[in-house]
Amino acid sequence: MKYTELGRSGLKVSRMALGCMSMSEFYGKFTEKDAICTLEKAIDHGITMFDTADCYAHGANERLLGKIIRKHDRNKFVICTKFGIVREEGKYERRIDGSPEYVKKSCEKSLLNLGLDEIDLYYIHRVDSGIPIEETIGAMSELIKEGKIRAIGISECNAKTLRRAHAVHPVAALQTEYSMATRDPETTMLPLCKELGISFVAYSPISRGLLSPKISEGVQFPDDDLRGKLPRFSPQNNKENLRVLNILREKSHAKGCTLPQLALAWIMAQPYDIIPLTGARKATHLLENIKSVELNLSQEELQELNTVLKSHPFSGDRYTPEGMKGIDE
């Protein structure tokens, strides 16, 4: 595994991070035994940055991660969690809360769930348009003074909000969706992060499994798999997306790697400080993804891939309207 610094926070993290969300909900049935196996394999292979959120299975995901971390040397890990999305149990619908009171209340609950005295990187999961970002970041900076968090992160905000937040307290990381299928951040957010010295944590780097060999025409998802409701995976969009997927699969075969490995290597080859946040649910998929850290792409290969992606853009929105709440605020 390779390592890098998280923004200007002084925190050293693995070149690839592991997102734990899918180990608790959203993508179908999954056992705790499999989750523990995947987490232990990640640790064995040098991953030190782990990501969760208080709204993932209503705290169960944080508790799962905490159970594993307590078995190891705490100082070896950078634990990241998020607050701000408020959901009722069993429902996808949400509201956004960035009030100072909620910041502190959520932090205390996450510390308890994780079994930690301090959270390394604490994100606002979505920006609350009804609360000035200065107030939210101000409350988070107080948590730093109290020794409850070490660094501040923001997820899915716009450029103006990021600048305002960074002016209150240095932001260590921006977490936003970015992949071959979702390239919106290239216009503004990636250059801005580079300017401000903020690491860009790219979630869904394999586009929720879209950039994998498993997606085929007529693919269906079980009722408890979120992808069955997302526009990008609708039958019509899936048919359109297979055109570019088949080309990318040919490129991966020519490179002697899998499409997920190619997708992750493509992200890490960009001229920015990007940390892919892979969401592998099984140890075999995780180990496959880790190999991408050593996969180098030449400038010629990058140009070829970018030409394909420009000529064949992916179809379908990445979220439903409900899922878009708080994005780009």
Side-chain angles (χ1 to χ4, degrees):
M1 180 56 64
K2 298 178 181 178
Y3 298 87
T4 186
E5 186 174 346
L6 186 70
R8 294 172 181 165
S9 67
L11 295 171
K12 187 178 180 182
V13 298
S14 49
R15 191 67 184 81
M16 178 182 292
L18 179 61
C20 302
M21 180 187 76
S22 64
M23 297 178 184
S24 296
E25 64 173 337
F26 294 120
Y27 293 101
K29 293 180 176 60
F30 197 61
T31 68
E32 183 172 300
K33 181 179 178 181
D34 284 339
I36 290 173
C37 179
T38 301
L39 287 165
E40 291 288 1
K41 285 292 184 183
I43 293 169
D44 290 344
H45 286 77
I47 287 182
T48 61
M49 186 174 179
F50 296 86
D51 183 275
T52 181
D54 62 358
C55 71
Y56 297 162
H58 307 281
N61 198 247
E62 288 181 324
R63 291 191 290 273
L64 170 66
L65 180 57
K67 183 185 297 185
I68 299 302
I69 296 304
R70 285 193 292 274
K71 297 179 180 179
H72 298 271
D73 182 353
R74 166 68 179 94
N75 295 322
K76 291 183 178 181
F77 306 109
V78 172
I79 304 302
C80 318
T81 193
K82 304 181 282 291
F83 74 94
I85 293 180
V86 186
R87 299 167 49 221
E88 291 184 27
E89 191 164 352
K91 294 186 178 181
Y92 182 69
E93 292 76 22
R94 76 276 308 275
R95 63 181 178 85
I96 311 301
D97 194 337
S99 64
E101 298 79 13
Y102 192 73
V103 171
K104 295 180 180 181
K105 176 183 175 182
S106 298
C107 183
E108 293 294 342
K109 192 170 183 179
S110 288
L111 286 169
L112 183 62
N113 285 337
L114 290 162
L116 301 177
D117 296 322
E118 185 179 48
I119 295 164
D120 297 303
L121 177 61
Y122 198 43
Y123 290 98
I124 177 167
H125 206 162
R126 295 289 186 270
V127 174
D128 185 344
S129 60
I131 301 290
I133 192 63
E134 290 82 0
E135 292 186 18
T136 305
I137 299 299
M140 296 172 78
S141 66
E142 289 179 13
L143 293 174
I144 290 180
K145 293 176 184 177
E146 295 169 6
K148 293 179 179 178
I149 69 173
R150 297 180 66 186
I152 289 173
I154 304 182
S155 180
E156 291 282 10
C157 72
N158 63 30
K160 183 178 179 180
T161 297
L162 184 58
R163 284 190 183 278
R164 287 168 55 194
H166 195 67
V168 175
H169 190 282
V171 174
L174 171 70
Q175 184 177 141
T176 295
E177 184 169 350
Y178 180 60
S179 69
M180 286 179 163
T182 301
R183 302 182 65 185
D184 304 344
E186 292 175 353
T187 304
T188 303
M189 300 313 293
L190 280 168
L192 179 57
C193 284
K194 187 172 186 177
E195 173 192 334
L196 299 178
I198 298 171
S199 288
F200 187 101
V201 178
Y203 78 82
S204 294
I206 308 175
S207 193
R208 299 175 180 83
L210 178 65
L211 299 167
S212 77
K214 293 185 176 181
I215 301 301
S216 59
E217 190 168 351
V219 64
Q220 293 184 334
F221 300 98
D223 292 341
D224 56 357
D225 191 318
L226 175 66
R227 290 173 293 183
K229 302 176 180 64
L230 299 180
R232 183 162 288 171
F233 290 91
S234 71
Q236 182 57 41
N237 285 323
N238 186 56
K239 186 176 181 179
E240 292 294 323
N241 290 333
L242 278 172
R243 297 177 182 179
V244 61
L245 283 174
N246 288 334
I247 297 174
L248 292 173
R249 286 166 182 167
E250 291 176 3
K251 296 290 184 182
S252 68
H253 292 157
K255 183 68 176 175
C257 64
T258 66
L259 180 51
Q261 288 171 343
L262 185 68
L264 290 165
W266 176 86
I267 286 177
M268 290 183 281
Q270 301 304 312
Y272 302 101
D273 176 17
I274 306 178
I275 300 167
L277 180 63
T278 184
R281 302 178 69 210
K282 295 185 178 181
T284 52
H285 295 158
L286 172 70
L287 297 179
E288 176 184 298
N289 292 344
I290 287 175
K291 292 179 182 178
S292 64
V293 174
E294 304 295 336
L295 183 63
N296 296 315
L297 298 177
S298 67
Q299 287 302 310
E300 182 180 357
E301 288 171 326
L302 279 173
Q303 184 58 49
E304 288 179 2
L305 290 170
N306 289 334
T307 298
V308 170
L309 296 172
K310 185 177 180 179
S311 302
H312 302 79
F314 282 83
S315 299
D317 293 336
R318 55 192 176 109
Y319 283 116
T320 62
E322 184 68 25
M324 290 299 292
K325 284 183 179 178
I327 286 182
D328 200 33
E329 291 287 356

